[in-house]
Amino acid sequence: MKKIIILPFLFLAIFSWGQAQFIVQNGTKTLVYTNINDALSNAASGDTLYLPGGGFTISTTTIDKTLHWVGHGHYPSETSATLPTRIATNLSFDGSCDNSSFEGILFTGSLNFGSADDETTNIQMKRCRVMGTLSLRYINTGTPDLNFQISECVLQSVNANNGNNCLIEKSLIFSYIDNFYQSLFDHNVINVDGSSTYSNAFIRYSNGCTLSNNVFGFDGGLHSTGSCTFLNNIFPTGLPYSSTNNSNSGSNNIYNVATGTAFVSITGNANVFNYDNNYQLSSSTTGTAESDGSTVNLKNTASDGTNAGIYGTTEPYKTIPYYPHINTANIATKVENNQLNVSINAEAQSR
């Protein structure tokens, strides 16, 4: 299995200084294209599409088949040898895209899933960045089971349109959380400034959700949101719920954490994502415990004994894709003694 995965990436690294190469893999069969649109049109449902570093525009904006999209990542510090993989097209994925997956891609536009008569289900998105709105459904009637899973991503506005059974974990979110139903948010950093958004809220029109082990970097409340449970989260100033005026509840949360102090290092506008920021929890910051009003340190207060936020759990946030990652690549510009010197360093993630 490891050989099958790593060979397309080594191929991409070798040719990344020339014309971009897009690899479509189906089992042991591998096809190479020089244009992303040709690769997409020739890929069969279930194929894996390996994308090189660079910026690409897709001419067909509606995708109608299950594919597994794999890029080199979006963090500049980790993609100096390959460039980040960037797609600059607003894309829609219809109901034929069930079971698709995405890893290591920067989407500069919006992503929309599903159609009026067909939901897109069982989607997995990992270590991607979506700069536009991420919509998990096309319509908002009913509460269908989407089984949409997002892990270790950087997101702006995310809207489930009343989709059920969604998981967002170990991700950085910088705008609204909208219209989620019976879904789980676990170990995220939610850094939207609620005081400057609609109805002073960072979560809107959501019901029956569980939010655990998240770090909320700014003040903000809940708008038209009910029956949600908040567990082991970190909040600035105060809790966003009250037993006397809404149906939301919680326990073991920490509040009164001064805005901007929860993290190790934040520069500039804190509610805008910055690759230079360090979203690790500060070891010196304290807050007020919901349970008894005592002053407590933020570290190791998650329900699993690790930290709240993206660097908690036994498998914390990582910046590069699971697939083998090209760290450095040096390719000679001419042949010497009938040989072309090529030196490539690749690192494989343990997960």
Side-chain angles (χ1 to χ4, degrees), residues 1-10 12 25 46-51 67-73 78-79 82 85 99-105 124-128 152 318-327 345-351:
M1 174 64 77
K2 188 172 290 186
K3 289 182 180 179
I4 293 175
I5 292 175
I6 197 169
L7 286 176
F9 272 83
L10 294 179
L12 287 173
Q25 188 172 32
D47 284 357
T48 299
L49 174 63
Y50 293 96
L51 305 175
L67 293 172
H68 303 288
W69 304 60
V70 182
H72 282 284
E78 307 292 347
T79 55
T82 60
T85 299
N99 306 305
S100 292
S101 63
F102 306 82
E103 183 161 359
I105 302 173
Q124 294 186 354
M125 183 174 292
K126 190 171 185 179
R127 297 177 193 168
C128 292
E152 298 174 277
K318 287 190 176 183
T319 59
I320 59 178
Y322 166 78
Y323 297 92
H325 173 73
I326 307 300
N327 289 328
N345 179 274
E347 176 186 0
Q349 290 289 324
S350 60
R351 60 175 177 87

Side-chain angles (χ1 to χ4, degrees), residues 136-137 140 142-143 146 158-164 166 176-183 185 203-207 209 223-225:
L136 311 190
R137 292 184 68 205
N140 62 8
T143 56
L146 298 183
V158 54
N159 190 338
N161 276 321
N162 294 321
N164 175 26
C166 302
Y176 302 128
I177 296 171
D178 274 338
N179 296 287
F180 279 83
Y181 183 77
Q182 294 185 353
S183 293
F185 292 79
I203 301 175
R204 311 185 303 178
Y205 308 107
S206 296
N207 284 276
C209 296
H223 178 74
S224 297
T225 291

Side-chain angles (χ1 to χ4, degrees), residues 223-255:
H223 178 74
S224 297
T225 291
S227 301
C228 290
T229 304
F230 295 83
L231 306 171
N232 297 81
N233 300 286
I234 294 173
F235 296 101
T237 308
L239 299 172
Y241 58 87
S242 169
S243 59
T244 61
N245 61 17
N246 61 44
S247 60
N248 302 291
S249 62
S251 63
N252 297 318
N253 298 290
I254 298 174
Y255 61 100

Side-chain angles (χ1 to χ4, degrees), residues 27-61:
T28 59
K29 180 181 178 182
T30 300
L31 299 174
V32 181
Y33 300 90
T34 58
N35 183 287
I36 190 171
N37 296 299
D38 291 339
L40 282 171
S41 62
N42 286 285
S45 181
D47 284 357
T48 299
L49 174 63
Y50 293 96
L51 305 175
F56 311 106
T57 300
I58 296 174
S59 58
T60 302
T61 59

Side-chain angles (χ1 to χ4, degrees), residues 191 215-218 234-237 255-266 270 278 280-287 298:
N191 248 29
V215 181
F216 292 81
F218 287 88
I234 294 173
F235 296 101
T237 308
Y255 61 100
N256 282 342
V257 178
T259 300
T261 65
F263 307 109
V264 168
S265 176
I266 301 293
N278 186 337
Q280 300 266 6
L281 277 186
S282 169
S283 60
S284 60
T285 301
T286 61
L298 304 185

Side-chain angles (χ1 to χ4, degrees), residues 97-350:
C97 297
D98 293 347
N99 306 305
S100 292
S101 63
F102 306 82
E103 183 161 359
I105 302 173
L106 168 60
F107 296 95
T108 62
S110 298
L111 301 182
N112 299 281
F113 289 85
S115 57
D117 57 355
D118 194 2
E119 307 290 351
T120 309
T121 61
N122 304 319
I123 301 297
Q124 294 186 354
M125 183 174 292
K126 190 171 185 179
R127 297 177 193 168
C128 292
R129 182 180 180 187
V130 183
M131 297 180 69
T133 298
L134 173 58
S135 297
L136 311 190
R137 292 184 68 205
Y138 182 81
I139 57 176
N140 62 8
T141 56
T143 56
D145 186 337
L146 298 183
N147 192 31
F148 205 114
Q149 300 179 33
I150 299 172
S151 181
E152 298 174 277
C153 291
V154 180
L155 307 174
Q156 289 300 119
S157 177
V158 54
N159 190 338
N161 276 321
N162 294 321
N164 175 26
N165 190 29
C166 302
L167 168 66
I168 299 183
E169 63 171 359
K170 290 179 288 188
S171 293
L172 293 138
I173 304 172
F174 291 87
S175 193
Y176 302 128
I177 296 171
D178 274 338
N179 296 287
F180 279 83
Y181 183 77
Q182 294 185 353
S183 293
L184 173 62
F185 292 79
D186 187 55
H187 279 98
N188 301 290
V189 167
I190 301 170
N191 248 29
V192 54
D193 185 358
S195 64
S196 64
T197 59
Y198 180 77
S199 296
N200 190 34
F202 41 56
I203 301 175
R204 311 185 303 178
Y205 308 107
S206 296
N207 284 276
C209 296
T210 298
L211 297 97
S212 57
N213 308 309
N214 303 290
V215 181
F216 292 81
F218 287 88
D219 287 330
L222 311 175
H223 178 74
S224 297
T225 291
S227 301
C228 290
T229 304
F230 295 83
L231 306 171
N232 297 81
N233 300 286
I234 294 173
F235 296 101
T237 308
L239 299 172
Y241 58 87
S242 169
S243 59
T244 61
N245 61 17
N246 61 44
S247 60
N248 302 291
S249 62
S251 63
N252 297 318
N253 298 290
I254 298 174
Y255 61 100
N256 282 342
V257 178
T259 300
T261 65
F263 307 109
V264 168
S265 176
I266 301 293
T267 59
N269 189 347
N271 67 322
V272 175
F273 176 67
N274 188 327
Y275 285 107
D276 294 327
N277 286 342
N278 186 337
Y279 297 98
Q280 300 266 6
L281 277 186
S282 169
S283 60
S284 60
T285 301
T286 61
T288 302
E290 179 182 14
S291 58
D292 59 10
S294 62
T295 298
V296 293
N297 191 278
L298 304 185
K299 302 283 281 187
N300 304 318
T301 58
S303 59
D304 58 5
T306 65
N307 290 331
I310 61 174
Y311 291 106
T313 80
T314 57
E315 297 182 340
Y317 182 88
K318 287 190 176 183
T319 59
I320 59 178
Y322 166 78
Y323 297 92
H325 173 73
I326 307 300
N327 289 328
T328 60
N330 297 304
I331 300 176
T333 58
K334 62 181 180 179
V335 174
E336 295 183 0
N337 299 322
N338 294 321
Q339 292 184 337
L340 179 67
N341 290 323
V342 176
S343 176
I344 295 175
N345 179 274
E347 176 186 0
Q349 290 289 324
S350 60

